[in-house]
Amino acid sequence: MAGGGVPGGGLNGRARITEARMAKKTTAGAGERELLLLGLLRQQEMHGYQLSEFLDTHLGLFFDLKKATAYNLLGKMEARGWVRSREEQEGNRPTRHVYALTAEGETLFQELLRGSLAEYRPAVFPGNVPLLFLHSLPPEERTRLLRQREKALGGYLKALEDHPDHVGHPLLQHKLEVLRAEKEWLLGLIGDCRNP
């Protein structure tokens, strides 16, 4: 086996543990939301409102990141040295903070990107809890409510299919495939409710 019999290359056990601790220390307190903000700021400097509008307009169908949360995260990221801000004023408008990625932020972005991309985390579906108690309702009511759910899912799916900014992007393709599979499963469940 390569690396003297140690799985994963030439690092011995102690070196791997040290490397893992260093990576954890660097990325401590950072997750997917930080990766998103760092990645966007990596593309261009933005003020908080501009960043928030971009998230709502272009990524709102993919991520749920509220404006207040984004501002809070930007403040924490600046305190940690991952981003820096400068004040900017246009005309009579109020002063605003323009955020930019720092060298430390770029390093963190690269670490988070590589670590998150290689990691598999099972999807958590918040709407699954009612399915646990589905049989507590009469069959006709279950069918009616599941049809409402299917209609809402169809609307969301259509919005994604019509989304102009991300055609062919892996993020969009992944979301579409998941939603199409969920719709197919939901239609099967509705059929099962009608024919107990």
Side-chain angles (χ1 to χ4, degrees), residues 161-189:
E161 288 170 339
D162 295 343
H163 201 283
D165 294 336
H166 304 288
V167 176
H169 194 280
L171 176 67
L172 177 64
Q173 294 307 314
H174 179 253
K175 191 85 166 178
L176 285 171
E177 290 298 321
V178 169
L179 287 174
R180 288 173 182 147
E182 186 173 353
K183 183 172 182 172
E184 186 177 324
W185 172 83
L186 191 53
L187 289 170
L189 183 61

Side-chain angles (χ1 to χ4, degrees), residues 17-73:
I17 291 168
T18 302
E19 183 180 68
R21 282 187 187 143
M22 285 173 56
K24 193 169 197 165
K25 193 182 233 183
T26 307
T27 61
E32 206 164 65
R33 296 180 309 178
E34 287 81 3
L35 175 61
L36 175 61
L37 293 176
L38 291 169
L40 293 175
L41 290 174
R42 185 174 189 264
Q43 293 176 2
Q44 73 176 57
E45 295 183 358
M46 288 190 236
H47 56 79
Y49 182 77
Q50 183 183 13
L51 188 57
S52 205
E53 283 297 302
F54 183 85
L55 287 166
D56 285 347
T57 306
H58 300 285
L59 299 176
L61 292 171
F62 303 98
F63 305 105
D64 183 24
L65 185 59
K66 304 284 184 249
K67 191 178 291 190
T69 305
Y71 278 111
N72 187 26
L73 284 171

Side-chain angles (χ1 to χ4, degrees), residues 1-177:
M1 193 180 295
V6 179
L11 294 177
N12 64 33
R14 185 172 289 146
R16 280 198 316 272
I17 291 168
T18 302
E19 183 180 68
R21 282 187 187 143
M22 285 173 56
K24 193 169 197 165
K25 193 182 233 183
T26 307
T27 61
E32 206 164 65
R33 296 180 309 178
E34 287 81 3
L35 175 61
L36 175 61
L37 293 176
L38 291 169
L40 293 175
L41 290 174
R42 185 174 189 264
Q43 293 176 2
Q44 73 176 57
E45 295 183 358
M46 288 190 236
H47 56 79
Y49 182 77
Q50 183 183 13
L51 188 57
S52 205
E53 283 297 302
F54 183 85
L55 287 166
D56 285 347
T57 306
H58 300 285
L59 299 176
L61 292 171
F62 303 98
F63 305 105
D64 183 24
L65 185 59
K66 304 284 184 249
K67 191 178 291 190
T69 305
Y71 278 111
N72 187 26
L73 284 171
L74 286 169
K76 289 179 179 178
M77 291 164 62
E78 185 172 19
R80 292 179 176 155
W82 302 338
V83 299
R84 61 176 158 64
S85 71
R86 61 179 163 75
E87 289 187 351
E88 182 181 89
Q89 188 167 8
E90 287 183 18
N92 293 333
R93 293 182 176 182
T95 303
R96 57 189 181 191
H97 292 275
V98 177
Y99 293 90
L101 197 63
T102 64
E104 190 175 337
E106 173 65 25
T107 300
L108 177 63
F109 169 79
Q110 294 293 334
E111 289 175 15
L112 288 173
L113 178 60
R114 286 177 172 85
S116 297
L117 193 57
E119 179 185 21
Y120 174 76
R121 284 178 279 167
V124 176
F125 299 98
N128 276 354
V129 172
L131 297 174
L132 186 61
F133 307 107
L134 189 62
H135 295 289
S136 300
L137 299 172
E140 62 279 355
E141 188 176 5
R142 284 196 307 248
T143 301
R144 180 177 56 79
L145 294 170
L146 287 172
R147 285 208 174 280
Q148 286 178 4
R149 184 180 182 132
E150 188 270 328
K151 185 177 179 183
L153 190 152
Y156 189 74
L157 183 57
K158 175 141 179 45
L160 278 174
E161 288 170 339
D162 295 343
H163 201 283
D165 294 336
H166 304 288
V167 176
H169 194 280
L171 176 67
L172 177 64
Q173 294 307 314
H174 179 253
K175 191 85 166 178
L176 285 171
E177 290 298 321

